[in-house]
Every structure is written in C-alpha cells, then in structure tokens.
Amino acid sequence: CNDADIRYLRVSGICTDFPHTDFFLLFLLSMYDIMEEEVYEFHAVELTNQLCFCPQAEFNNRPDSLFFNDGIRRIDFILVYEDEDKKEFDKRHMSQRRKASLMSMGLELEATKSVLDDKLMFVKVHMPWDVLCTYAEVLHIKVPIQPNDLSSRTSPWHFLSCITKHFYPSEKLISKEAEYFTAPFEKAQEEFFYIKDKDLFFTPAMRSRMAYYILSRAPYELRGNIKKFGINKLLDGGVYKAAYPLHDCRFNVKSKDDACPNERFLLYNEWAHPKSFYKMQPLDLIRKYYGEKIGIYFAWLGFYTYMLALAAVVGLGCFIYGYKTQETSTWSKEVCDPEIGGQIVMCPQCDKFCNYWRLNSTCEASKKLCIFDNFGTLVFAVFMSIWVTLFLEFWKRYQARLEYEWDTVEFLEQEEPLRPEYEAKCIYERKNPITGMKEKVPYTACGRCVRVSIGIGTVLFWILLIVASIVAVMVYRLAVFFAFSTSLRNQDLKTLEPLKEYVTPQMATTVTASLINFVIIMILNILYERVAIWITNFELPRTKTDYENSLTLKMFLFQFVNYYSSCFYIAFAKGKSVGYPGNPVYLGRYRNEECDPGGCLFELTTQLSIIMGGKAIWNNIQEVLLPWVKNLILRHCKRGDAESTIPRWEQDYRLQPFSNLGLFYEYLEMVIQFGFVTLFVASFPLAPALALVNNLFEIRVDAWKILTQFRRIVPEKAQDIGAWQPILQGITILAMIMAFTSDMIPRLVYYWSFSVYPYGGHANHTMQGYINSSLSIFNTSDFTEDSMPQESYNITTCRYKDWPINWRNAEGHPRQYEYNVYYWHVIAAKMAFIIVVEHIVYFTKFILSYVIPDVPYSVKEQIKREKYLTQKILHETNLKLVTKHMKLDDDETTKNTEDDVVDKNLSHLN
C-alpha cells in the first residue's frame, strides 16, 4: 500500500501511526470479521460508507482556539478515546471497527493527541454547511426570516429604569438580543431566511445539538436482529471516554482569540460570581449558551424566588407578631402561672412507670408554640392559598412570553425525535392512528400493558415500604417517649420540673425521631432512584420528554410520600386517637403517643426544620462540594504544563460530566421545597423567608457549578417545565389543608362561645380560663390495673389533653368519658371553616385565573404576525412555484395538442 491507499483505507476516528503492513493486516482482519457471520453480521455493502479519512494534527499551541488547525472550521463536538496502538491487538481492531460508522455521517474530523496523557486522543467534529441545513430541517430548528417590526410596548414602570438598571447585567457587556420573526428552516428555501453570515447563522448551541443528534443515531454494529447505534452506547461500553461540546473560553479569563464570543466569561462575571447575587439573570444569554432546557429552569427558579419575596414579608410579619405576643398570650400565661398551670396535675402519659406531672413544666414550650400558632396563622394560611394561585397564573404568562421569544411555541411531540433506545428495539408493526402509515414499535399493546403494570406495581411496593418505615419510626417514638417520660419526670411531685426547661419528653422524642427519619429518607432516596430509572428504561418511553415526564412522576410520588409522610402523621394523626387514661389506645404493646397540651404544631415545626435544613446541606454537599473535590483531585493527579498551554478541549475534559438527570434533581429539590413552603405554612411561617434566602444562593451556586465544574451541557429544546407544571398545580390544591391543623379554631370557639353565657362565667369574650376548660378531668380510681402508675401521691383526679378540646364528660356524669357539647361545637366550627374558607379561596382562585390571561396580548399579536409572515414568505412562494410549473405544463400540453391537430390535418390532406 502506498500513502494514498492507507489514507483511503484508514478507518474514521482511528488516526493511528501504524506501519503500513500492520495497518493493512488490521484492515484485512476487519474485513474477515465483517464477512464472518458468526462474529458480526455486518452488511458488506456498507463497508465503503464506513471508511473515511480522519487526518491527525498536532496541537498548535493555541489554547483558546475553537477551530480546526486551519482556523476556519469550527469545532462543534469533541470525542475522546484511548489511542488504539496502546491497546492489545484483538481489542484494538474491534474498537476501531465500532468507531467507523460514527464518522460516516457527513461530519468532518480532525484528531490530535493529548498534551498531558499519551494514551488519549481527541477527535474534533465539524458540521459542514450542507449537513447543518439538512439536520436543521430534520429537527425543525427555527431561524430568523425577518427582523421584528412590531414596536415594543413601554412598561408602566419605565420611569424607575434609572434605579432598576443597577439590578440588571451590564448592557455594555451583555447586549440585548435582536428580535426576529422566525420559522422552521427549510433547505429548499434557504434564500428566504435572514442569513448574513453562514458561519454565524446557526449558533454554537444549535450546531452542538445537531452534532449530538447525529452521533446519538449513528449505527456501529448489527447482530442478528439487534442493531446497535449511538454515542451513548459506546460511552457506556468504554469505546469512547467522553463526548461533549466545548466551552468557548475559561470561565475566569477572557479568551485572546478574536473569534471567541467569551460568553462563558461574561456569564461567570454577570451571573455566577458572588458579587452579582443581587442582579437579574441574563436569561437570553443563558439560553443562547446552554439551550432552552437550561434556560427555562433558571427562568422558573428566578421567577419562583422573585414571588417568594412577597410571601416571605407576610410570613416574617406573622412570625414577629407571634414573637411579640408570646409573653402576653392569655393561654400561655395560664400555663406558666404557678397558681393555674402549677396547680394542674396532669395524668401520666405512659402506663405504670410514668408519674403525674404539672402543667407548668411545659411553660417554655407553650411560649415557643405561640410564635408559630397564633391568630395570624389562619390569615397567613389563607394568604398563601391565594399566593400560590398568583404564582402559577403569572408564571404561565411569563412562560408564554419565553416560549415566543425562544421559538418553542409550536414545539410539538411530532417534532421531537425518538429516543435511540426506543428506535433500537422497534421490531413490531402497527398502523399509526394519525398518519395512517405503518410504523415500527418496540412492543405490542399487551406488552405495553405488562410493562406499565410492572412499573405501577413496583412504585406502589416502594411507597408501601415508606409507610412501613414511618410505622417503624412511630414505634420508636412510642418506645423512646416511654423512656424519656420515665427519666425526665420521675421526680417528687413537689419539685416536678424537667431537667432543663426546653427538654421535655415530647421534644426529646421529636428531635431524635426526626433525625432518624431524615437518615431513612436519604437512604430510601438513593435506593429508589436506581429502581425508578430501571422501571422507566423498562417501559421504553418514545421520546426524551416522555422519558423525563415518566421518571418525574415516579420520583415525585415517591419523594412526596418519603418527605411529607412523617409531617402529615404529626399534623393529622398524632394525638388524634389516644383514648383517655382509663382506656388508652395501643399500637402493639405501646400506648399511642399524645401531643403537648398546646398541641403538636411545635413538633411539626421541629420536624420541618430538621428535614429542610438537612436536605439543603446534603444537596449542597452532593451537588457542589463533591464535583469541586473531584476536579481538585484530578488536577492534582494530572499536573502538566501551565494551564495556558493546554488546549480548550483538554481543559474541558478535566471537568466533570453533567449527569443526564442533573436538571431533574434541581427541579425536584425546588418542588419539594415548594411543598414545604405551601403545605405547612400554618406550622412554620418562616418557611417562605428561609426558602427565599436559600434560593438566592441556589441560583448562584447552580450557575457557578455548571459554568466552572462541569463540561458544557449538550443543548436541548424545551417548551416549558414539563411534568413539574401539573405537579405544582396539585400541590396548590392541597395548600389549604394544613390550616385546619392549627389549634386556633378550638381557641376561637372558646373565645366566641364557651367563655360567655351559657357555657362560661365571663361577662365578655375572653381567653381566660381556656386552659382549665380545654383539659378533661379523670378520676384516678378509674385506672386499670395495667395502666395505674406505681406511685399515686394520694391524687384523686388528674387532667389530660383531649382532641381537639375538652370533649369528654367528667367522672360522675351519666355519660362519663363520652363526647360532650364542646366536641360537637369544635367539629362544627372546623367544618364551617373548611366549607366557607375553601369556597372563598377557590372562588378567588377562579376569578384570578379568569382575569389574568395565560398569554399576554402583546405576545398573541407577535405570534399571529409571525405565522402571517411564515405563510406569506414561505408557503405562498411554494404556491407560486407550483402554479408556475402547472402553467408551463398546460402550455406544453396545449402546444402538443395543436401539433397533433396540424399533423392530423396534414395526414388527411395527404
């Protein structure tokens, strides 16, 4: 073989320096394997299409370059693999053959060796103009057809621009994007699109997206009926080490290359840097650099944080009100009063080994409870129900504007390509109900039903596993509460006080149980994540959107039960079925636990604080600290020359790959937080304020993370936040229920009914006497032998907390220990509150939904204008061409007819 032969026969992506004889033997071996049906059933006809020329180039010491060595062709993607001459011979030719067809899709290639590692080879991928045009049409990529000629409406707040401009990125650095009317690209009508420069017409994000589309569908092997294709499979098999688009420069150093736009550097300084924490996000530049999917996430996160400001102010006001009134609260003062709370002897909270205790031992806990459970609690809960409606309605409007500006208005499922994993297993035929054509599918109707059934069954099994873990924690709470009650209150009655004023049996039990529950939550999350991914892969969703929506629903259902079940238990179940001292309710051999005399709301606050705080710390360790440590170790282990001598593609290779589910976890974290903020506001009014502070850091930390610690993410198109939208709507429906857990309704019932005639002896409405009225009376002689305390202290009666108020008749009553009129008053009040407030809130929701349109009027105008221009410029042009061809055909037919008539007449004359 001469040099020309070797260059022709050289398999794409290999670019080795083999001696001629070795290379030719390698080629013959590849030919033998191709023809050997038992090994691989490759089509011999396709061999010539799998061979292409991949020149090798040395690094030209231009670390900022984003082009091939010729300085003209832009690098659209990078593939990394180990040099084949470093491997064993049998593994080498197999790996080379697999790479061949990936490079036969019209892409131009250039390979170079690693500067730091002789084993690594980097293949630069460039998409020529014709290939770009072809796949832009395949992917329905929208490109400009004409500048936007509609005048933008002046904002009513424009007079504040002199102040607000300081909260936006510098326009000198990040200029405003020009507005265009766009249409899906059509290669046959290229001249009608607004093309100034072919090299800049398709953005780097578009080019990378198209390159990844090609690489993810390039076939490389066929075994029987099984076709293998796609870069993802080769990455999983270790044939390629990495595949990624390039960052355009270093994040903290401006590129010296004049052709570099330095968008990463601008994003870091104006978005991810801590000094820019107060600035609005440059969403257009984020979308341009990372694609619509990343852009819509940060747009949603920023909007959610912006809306949290109002909720945080109201919640903070509610908290301050409770803090200021904790010392003046009548019922709290009665608990702490030695003449009232100090004289009330409470019944033991466990059997035999627990003793009597005085009510004033819970003085400090009662004061702290006033901070979170006061008259402002119900008002704040109603406010949050309206707030979530405003949040969703205004987000729909904002999202509609982004959909238009980012060209995703008509992003339909038909436009989204199939997943390669789905295509690879399409072996059955069916008739498409939309097109009426036959198409390949990976399963029959029965097979799909089986797959879905297995998925549903697995999810239900894991949800039941969570319920079992919650029951186990409940048993732990009962056992530990028994131990704490024995040790903390086993003292002389005269000096009966907790060891410390804040350490009550309920508080000690709640804190330890919450910590254990948090650990269980984290462990189950790790296990279920793998199960959910396996189930979703088994179901074989058709498109990536279908895949993400299916996985999102499974993960959220699990996370919802995992995170919220313990909170719902404290809010709705704990203390609601405890019976009374003479006839307690048991869970197994343990007596069901009770709430503090002030209620369970403070325990719920403690549970929320531990779960939310622990979750935030764990997420930051997992998402930020671990990638940073990995990159630090990698840089330390692979020390080479100075950073400036390392090419751009190798600098990016040393960063961490971004997980395919990375954005999923970001959404999940925020949606779980959204649930805590909206569902449990009645117990924790500070939740919106803490969420606001967390999100201000979250935005910058996420931005810093993806810009500095991860390789550039492959751009993806997305119309909205996907399955998270209906999930948020479902959470808003439940946002009112936690208001009913507050003990303020029984207090209001006492204030308006029981404190005055005929039930009370006060002349005016007051909270005085509430504590005495809310505690039921029990005769100690009615204790059973199993529940009677070992030490009686000559006490004849004791008091106990019933739910929701003193609802049982006292000893000696004809219907002793049965429900009394207090119980029915409170139940009626709660039902009235549910019915009245629910109708008011949902009527308000309906009015707001009707008044606030989902799509702004100005956006509707621009959408109509764009459709009109598309129809006029592209479709009418096609119509004119068709009409012109028809006219030419008619003229030709007429001419032929006239010629036939003349010939016929001449023939007749002859």
Side-chain angles (χ1 to χ4, degrees), residues 129 144 147 178 180 190 193-202:
W129 173 254
Y180 296 95
E190 177 183 323
F193 290 92
Y194 195 74
I195 303 176
K196 287 185 176 180
D197 187 345
K198 288 186 176 181
D199 294 332
L200 302 177
F201 182 65
F202 295 108

Side-chain angles (χ1 to χ4, degrees), residues 721-834:
I721 60 176
W724 298 110
Q725 187 92 7
I727 288 174
L728 291 174
Q729 292 173 345
I731 292 176
T732 60
I733 295 174
L734 300 175
M736 273 295 297
I737 63 174
M738 289 307 298
F740 311 138
T741 65
S742 171
D743 282 340
M744 287 311 302
I745 295 178
R747 293 173 199 168
L748 290 174
V749 171
Y750 175 83
Y751 181 84
W752 291 107
S753 298
F754 299 153
S755 63
V756 295
Y757 180 83
Y759 301 107
H762 299 281
N764 298 317
H765 298 288
T766 180
M767 286 298 296
Q768 293 180 2
Y770 170 75
I771 292 298
N772 187 62
S773 176
S774 64
L775 297 174
S776 299
I777 303 174
F778 179 76
N779 193 320
T780 57
S781 62
D782 293 332
F783 273 119
T784 62
E785 185 177 350
D786 293 334
S787 61
M788 182 178 294
Q790 292 178 343
E791 300 181 19
S792 62
Y793 295 102
N794 296 321
I795 294 175
T796 57
T797 61
C798 62
R799 311 295 292 272
Y800 63 97
K801 170 69 176 177
D802 221 332
W803 183 85
I805 199 169
N806 180 9
W807 64 350
R808 297 185 189 272
N809 295 309
E811 186 269 338
H813 193 279
R815 301 177 61 188
Q816 67 175 6
Y817 306 132
E818 293 185 11
Y819 300 151
N820 61 15
V821 68
Y822 284 16
Y823 167 77
W824 299 112
H825 270 276
V826 172
I827 292 299
K830 282 186 172 277
M831 293 302 298
F833 181 85
I834 293 174

